[in-house]
Amino acid sequence: MKISNTYLQLGTAFSESINPLPVADPHLLLWNLSLADQLALSQGLPDNENALAQLFSGNDLLPEASPIACVYAGHQFGQFNPQLGDGRAHLLCEFVDDHQQRWDLQLKGSGPTRYSRRGDGRCALGPAIREYLMSEALHALGVPTTRCLAVVTTGETVYRDLPKPGAVVTRIASSHIRVGSFQYFAAKGDVVSLKTLTDYTIDRHFPTLKAAANPVLELLGAVMDKQVTLIVEWMRIGFIHGVMNTDNTAISGETIDFGPCAMLGIYHPGTVYSSIDSGGRYAFGAQPSICRWNMARLAEALLPLIDEDQDKALAQAEALIADFSPRFEQAYQTMLGAKLGLDEIQQTDVALITELLEQMQEQQLDYTQTFHQLTRSLTEQQIATKLQDTLGNWYGQWRQRIGNDSKQQQAAQALMQQSNPVVIPRNHHVEAVLQACELTNSSAPADALLKVLRSPYQMLAETADYQDLPTDNDRHYQTFCGT
Ligand code: AMP
Ligand code: MG
């Protein structure tokens, strides 16, 4: 395990050097063996649970680690906050895997820092397990995401609305550079640090851009493309992030910060579950436009580096941001086409797709189930008949578009099977598992759900236990930030 601390080396303007605050009685609850194997971490780590618990609670430190809390700013629900930062997280170190890919190793819930404001620096067990479950689910579904290596219970109580067991979650991310990281220096007018961060980001994530005529403008375009891909993937599986503030938008294009996230059940673009999002700013269907808004904030922050002539810089950035919607729309239609077995979108397909979504909304159909049933209907007559009843003429039109040839149908079904999960981390199941883990102080309920979520395109023997819809269709479901 090759450990380094390159972000620390950017200088004291970027972070505070601070160690995690030890916890009373750490126990390893969840350990992500497949991630540890994939990153070849095991060689550099102790092989017993106690030692791992000490390490991933922050009680022990790897000898080469030099923990920091990173500073950033951010628009939270549209309001700019000039200084946020890791208020309960410690970036322990970075390491480079066997494929020369650099990763951040970060603890969350590991104690207060300079950026804690009024917070206690801690994390409750429920949100820690949620982050682990949801990120593993997303990863298995093929969605770019940060992942969790471990959840350690601390033996301490944290006080939220009620007293809760505390936990520390270990996050692996390709970096923790956020849109808000750039905003922080831009707002301070610290162009030197802004340039340092930009060069570092290009070096770390987009090294090929170094040779471009205008690397900063290209960086903006590249981040935009990553974000388009990410949001399209969220929309494909029905993921609602819930708090798409600019400080929760990673430059790498990975999903980050799973606070009040949830899954879409019945299709409705206005779906929002977060208790703090009363205006629906971060509703399911609002995610693309919010992403564009966030990219515009990144563009603003980068203006001083795009061109010395700020009018020119603005014109170039605006032209790029104007291209967000066409880029998104194309990727979005391609994705929906694939969900319907179409590997190429023709002009009339857009209407076909739109009509299905309208019908799903009107008839209050479940997003995941509908696409799964459509997939199966290509080979199962009973399901086809049922869908014909539900969807009327639309169903026949769609089948006609697929074609009658069995080769065409096979190809369509194969594409649909890759695009439409048979199971997602449904809100009621995730909640039940969090409660059961908390109550029993064991990982068994999470392990059972994880087994299914790790094969989301396949029917395992246990999959059926997790496919059902909630009895109230999540009408009363609410998520909380968990801070
Ligand atoms: P989030 O909404 O989780 O992205 O957090 C927003 C900001 O609040 C970040 O700067 C966090 O570090 C900080 N924060 C959240 N919870 C806590 C906590 N319990 N203690 C200290 N800081 C926190
Ligand atoms: Mg955050």
Side-chain angles (χ1 to χ4, degrees):
M1 200 166 143
K2 271 184 278 169
I3 288 184
S4 51
N5 301 280
T6 62
Y7 204 81
L8 163 74
Q9 283 152 16
L10 295 182
T12 51
F14 293 79
S15 60
E16 176 196 15
S17 277
I18 182 169
N19 282 349
L21 183 68
V23 304
D25 186 20
H27 283 276
L28 189 66
L29 187 80
L30 292 166
W31 176 247
N32 197 336
L33 191 60
S34 65
L35 180 60
D37 284 347
Q38 187 192 315
L39 299 175
L41 278 174
S42 308
Q43 302 139 21
L45 294 175
D47 60 1
N48 72 82
E49 286 201 2
N50 275 341
L52 288 173
Q54 293 293 339
L55 207 50
F56 294 109
S57 60
N59 281 12
D60 277 352
L61 289 177
L62 291 166
E64 309 95 319
S66 207
I68 53 173
C70 301
V71 69
Y72 47 84
H75 276 91
Q76 299 177 301
F77 289 88
Q79 294 295 315
F80 186 64
N81 189 331
Q83 199 204 285
L84 295 162
D86 295 333
R88 52 167 174 165
H90 293 77
L91 174 56
L92 296 180
C93 61
E94 300 137 25
F95 63 93
V96 177
D97 70 13
D98 293 346
H99 308 284
Q100 301 313 309
Q101 158 86 47
R102 179 178 298 277
W103 299 98
D104 275 6
L105 188 65
Q106 194 210 51
L107 299 185
K108 185 161 157 185
S110 41
T113 73
R114 185 189 287 167
Y115 314 113
S116 298
R117 295 179 293 171
R118 285 178 301 280
D120 59 1
R122 293 304 189 191
C123 179
L125 177 59
I129 303 176
R130 183 198 301 282
E131 176 148 349
Y132 188 108
L133 284 176
M134 293 304 291
S135 55
E136 280 311 281
L138 259 56
H139 173 73
L141 284 158
V143 181
T145 183
T146 58
R147 292 176 74 187
C148 297
L149 181 65
V151 172
V152 173
T153 55
T154 59
E156 295 176 4
T157 302
V158 297
Y159 296 90
R160 298 295 179 257
D161 46 335
L162 293 167
K164 300 274 185 197
V168 175
V169 56
T170 303
R171 179 155 68 187
I172 304 283
S174 70
S175 85
H176 283 84
I177 306 167
R178 307 150 189 267
V179 168
S181 312
F182 293 88
Q183 288 182 290
Y184 173 76
F185 294 112
K188 283 177 48 143
D190 181 354
V191 180
V192 173
S193 297
L194 184 67
K195 171 97 170 59
T196 303
L197 179 64
T198 304
D199 289 347
Y200 177 84
T201 305
I202 291 173
D203 234 15
R204 183 158 173 181
H205 289 290
F206 307 99
T208 56
L209 300 186
K210 270 189 279 191
N214 189 337
V216 183
L217 196 64
E218 295 284 327
L219 170 67
L220 179 60
V223 173
M224 221 166 84
D225 283 340
K226 293 245 180 218
Q227 287 291 322
V228 164
T229 302
L230 178 66
I231 307 302
V232 166
E233 283 295 275
W234 287 356
M235 307 300 277
R236 174 172 69 81
I237 59 157
F239 180 77
I240 309 168
H241 183 279
V243 60
M244 285 174 71
N245 294 334
T246 55
D247 53 307
N248 294 335
T249 302
I251 293 299
S252 65
E254 290 173 337
T255 312
I256 193 167
D257 285 358
F258 289 76
C261 71
M263 297 302 294
L264 179 72
I266 284 176
Y267 179 77
H268 195 299
T271 306
V272 44
Y273 294 116
S274 168
S275 61
I276 54 168
D277 191 6
S278 48
R281 180 180 170 88
Y282 299 137
F284 177 71
Q287 297 186 122
S289 63
I290 286 294
C291 182
R292 179 167 46 91
W293 193 88
N294 289 348
M295 290 300 97
R297 304 290 77 75
L298 176 62
E300 265 166 20
L302 291 174
L303 281 181
L305 305 179
I306 290 177
D307 198 299
E308 271 177 30
D309 178 339
Q310 286 297 280
D311 291 335
K312 262 195 198 160
L314 187 64
Q316 285 182 298
E318 275 178 350
L320 201 48
I321 296 297
D323 203 33
F324 181 94
S325 295
R327 286 190 201 188
F328 180 85
E329 213 40 47
Q330 203 200 348
Y332 180 65
Q333 295 300 341
T334 302
M335 174 277 287
L336 284 171
K339 281 179 85 64
L340 287 173
L342 311 174
D343 63 356
E344 237 181 333
I345 294 288
Q346 300 170 0
Q347 224 171 10
T348 47
D349 293 335
V350 178
L352 192 75
I353 291 167
T354 308
E355 198 195 318
L356 174 66
L357 294 177
E358 281 168 3
Q359 280 218 40
M360 286 168 64
Q361 183 174 336
E362 270 163 37
Q363 298 198 50
Q364 307 197 6
L365 302 180
D366 182 79
Y367 187 63
T368 302
Q369 275 298 328
T370 303
F371 281 104
H372 176 48
Q373 295 300 320
L374 284 168
T375 308
R376 288 179 61 182
S377 78
L378 288 176
T379 43
E380 294 176 59
Q381 187 50 46
Q382 241 185 340
I383 295 176
T385 310
K386 225 171 134 193
L387 281 174
Q388 216 154 12
D389 276 355
T390 316
L391 299 171
N393 286 340
W394 183 90
Y395 188 78
Q397 282 168 18
W398 172 62
R399 289 297 294 258
Q400 209 171 8
R401 172 68 180 85
I402 297 284
N404 286 326
D405 184 89
S406 71
K407 276 233 170 70
Q408 290 171 322
Q409 292 185 0
Q410 266 170 22
Q413 195 176 42
L415 183 59
M416 292 175 80
Q417 281 164 343
Q418 290 163 26
S419 309
N420 301 320
V422 301
V423 66
I424 54 164
R426 288 201 182 270
N427 304 324
H428 62 297
H429 284 297
V430 171
E431 292 299 332
V433 163
L434 299 189
Q435 278 181 24
C437 288
E438 211 176 289
L439 204 67
T440 58
N441 200 21
S442 101
S443 69
D447 295 336
L449 177 57
L450 274 169
K451 182 177 179 203
V452 166
L453 294 179
R454 286 198 162 121
S455 298
Y457 300 102
Q458 255 180 305
M459 279 302 287
L460 310 181
E462 303 90 337
T463 301
D465 298 343
Y466 296 100
Q467 286 178 304
D468 59 305
L469 315 187
T471 45
D472 71 344
N473 282 330
D474 280 338
R475 219 162 311 192
H476 307 292
Y477 185 59
Q478 265 206 326
T479 59
F480 301 90
C481 242
T483 50

